[in-house]
Amino acid sequence: MTLLEVHSLAKTFHIHHLQREVPAFANVSFTLRAGEFLLVRGPNGIGKSTLLRCLYRTYLPSGGSAMYESRQGVIDLARAADVDIAQLRRTEIGNVSQFLRPRPRVSALDMVAEPLLAGNTAIDESRRMAGDWLADFGLKSDIWQAYPTTFSGGEQQKVNLARALIAPRRLLLLDEPTASLDAGARAALVSRLAQLKNQGVAMIGVFHHPEDVAKLVDGELQLRVH
Amino acid sequence: MQTLPPQLITARPLLAARNLTRRYGSIVAVDDVSLVVYSGETLGIVGESGSGKSTVLRLLNLEEPADEGQVTLNVPGYGDTNLFSLERFQRRQVQIRHIGIVYQNPHQGLRMRVTSSGNVAERLILAGERRYATLREAARDSLAVSEFPLERMDDLPAKLSGGMQQRVQLAKAIALKPALLLLDEPTTGLDVSVQALVLDTLMRLQRERQIATIVVSHDLGVIRTLADRVMVMRRGRVVEQGLTDQVLDDPQHPYTQQLVHAKL
């Protein structure tokens, strides 16, 4: 089943104080089916992360369409109402970024449990599952109650990944999630992604070291200078 | 690109304000502002001092009338009524039962010569409750939900720290389980660590109750933490609105670009 059909998607930034237009990418088209993994390739600065952010709507696309087959019907991610995008982010589309945005006075365990709590899972069960994920990524259990504001980059990224992946999603956008991870956590991530893929989750990913996920990749999208 | 009307969200917005304008003499404080908020979501309003954001909040709290425009609240009995067209008594009833507000300045929201529990109970008295035991119980519950230290519930607000005063305001605001919660710079002026704790309480409330919330703040960090969507105001007008991360990371309007980049 086709989950996402992207047609001629484009993004240009207008920087008003420089009175400049900065093109990021243009004319991107691809199709993604449930359970497929699409690897986005291209040199630095070509717009790989920008493409993911446009699909998540952190950036507003400038043109084209991204028809997504939601549980409630087809919707154009490029132009959907903000409230619809917010709803899809809560229920269907996940974003796995490179950095955690820790909040003061919120423990690692609770940062991870939060997306489940938002989906009405009971607090004990949410925390138990959060612990499973953190253990899987190799975060020592004696710091689960600590505040990630003080964690190292690698530790923060483990919290970030667990938080991003804990709630069930149908489409995952992965923006260099293996950056700053040790080998053990990288292996745990790849095995978790393989599991999710088998369950039918579709993924679009940017990886600095694509060999990490070589076994998962079904197709590649090469971004080029236009 | 222009966004489309909602397609997945089919419920009616809890709050809809259309074409609000408010003038003070020759000054147009709020100029043709429209907004909607759905149950369970938080809308942030940002802008510099004098942009009209606090005036919008006062209009939505029915504290003063708009010169033009209307406000509807999708609550039983009033769904299709422009709330500005109600007579004073009814308007006050809607305000007490369905709208809660937390002001930046606790003196605006609390009576400093009445105990903290008394401040919260007052809200229930206004709604018609008279039994002492019920009032006390309800005040205690609401203070507990706001994570106020209960051993201090009979202290005067004047004796409390800024963070605790904000918790009393919050307890008062949510005592009658309002459909709409308005927050006007709720953590401005608090120490950073206290601010974090109050934000955490607000986030927990958002999660546990399907309240529609509007938060006004000039602090973009507060907005990023609390708001799903954000509206940027300048000189009484809305210059941009969108998902919070989109407005802060990919601002479209020249003013918003300037505002976002001015942040340290």
Side-chain angles (χ1 to χ4, degrees), chain A residues 20-217:
Chain A
R20 266 190 63 197
E21 303 225 330
V22 181
F25 62 82
N27 213 11
V28 167
S29 303
F30 64 87
T31 302
L32 187 72
R33 301 166 65 86
E36 269 184 356
F37 189 114
L38 180 73
L39 181 70
V40 184
R41 307 197 73 139
N44 285 342
I46 198 79
K48 303 187 293 293
S49 296
T50 304
L51 170 61
L52 295 187
R53 285 178 199 160
C54 281
L55 294 172
Y56 198 61
R57 268 282 287 282
T58 296
Y59 293 165
L60 207 56
S62 320
S65 63
M67 306 309 290
Y68 172 74
E69 183 87 37
S70 85
R71 285 199 192 94
Q72 291 168 262
V74 179
I75 186 162
D76 184 359
L77 299 179
R79 298 180 64 202
D82 297 322
V83 288
D84 284 343
I85 296 288
Q87 159 93 344
L88 288 173
R89 288 175 175 189
R90 280 192 294 269
T91 54
E92 301 197 20
I93 302 179
N95 181 44
V96 187
S97 66
Q98 286 176 60
F99 300 106
L100 178 72
R101 192 180 288 279
R103 287 203 316 275
R105 307 285 185 119
V106 181
S107 73
L109 198 67
D110 284 349
M111 284 297 291
V112 177
E114 221 168 52
L116 286 182
L117 290 172
N120 289 326
T121 308
I123 187 142
D124 292 346
E125 174 67 3
S126 301
R127 285 195 174 131
R128 192 190 58 72
M129 288 180 65
D132 282 354
W133 279 88
L134 288 174
D136 220 34
F137 287 128
L139 193 77
K140 290 195 241 67
S141 60
D142 48 358
I143 61 169
W144 291 359
Q145 297 297 341
Y147 306 131
T149 26
T150 61
F151 287 9
S152 72
E155 287 165 343
Q156 286 198 1
Q157 183 58 353
K158 290 172 185 181
V159 176
N160 188 39
L161 291 177
R163 177 181 161 89
L165 296 173
I166 193 168
R169 294 287 182 260
R170 300 173 72 219
L171 172 63
L172 285 177
L173 306 168
L174 308 159
D175 190 1
E176 302 218 23
T178 50
S180 75
L181 283 186
D182 53 53
R186 223 161 41 229
L189 173 65
V190 173
S191 108
R192 281 288 194 169
L193 292 180
Q195 225 173 58
L196 292 172
K197 188 171 136 66
N198 279 335
Q199 291 162 14
V201 179
M203 303 177 195
I204 306 175
V206 175
F207 286 82
H208 199 61
H209 298 288
E211 58 275 16
D212 288 343
V213 288
K215 285 184 187 149
L216 303 180
V217 175

Side-chain angles (χ1 to χ4, degrees), chain A residues 11 13-17 56-64 70 72 74-75 78-90 101 103-106 114 117-118, chain B residues 1-10 38 40-41 192-194 196-197 200 203 207 224-225 228-229 241-247 249-254 257 261:
Chain A
K11 174 62 180 171
F13 295 95
H14 303 263
I15 303 177
H16 290 281
H17 77 111
Y56 198 61
R57 268 282 287 282
T58 296
Y59 293 165
L60 207 56
S62 320
S70 85
Q72 291 168 262
V74 179
I75 186 162
R79 298 180 64 202
D82 297 322
V83 288
D84 284 343
I85 296 288
Q87 159 93 344
L88 288 173
R89 288 175 175 189
R90 280 192 294 269
R101 192 180 288 279
R103 287 203 316 275
R105 307 285 185 119
V106 181
E114 221 168 52
L117 290 172
Chain B
M1 287 192 294
Q2 202 63 42
T3 53
L4 303 165
Q7 178 183 333
L8 305 179
I9 302 282
T10 50
Y38 291 81
E41 74 158 351
V192 178
S193 63
V194 177
L197 292 173
D200 212 41
M203 291 187 73
R207 207 164 52 219
R224 205 188 265 277
T225 305
D228 301 292
R229 295 187 296 121
Q241 52 182 317
L243 291 158
T244 301
D245 55 333
Q246 184 256 296
V247 171
D249 295 341
D250 184 21
Q252 307 293 305
H253 190 275
Q257 292 190 354
H261 292 130

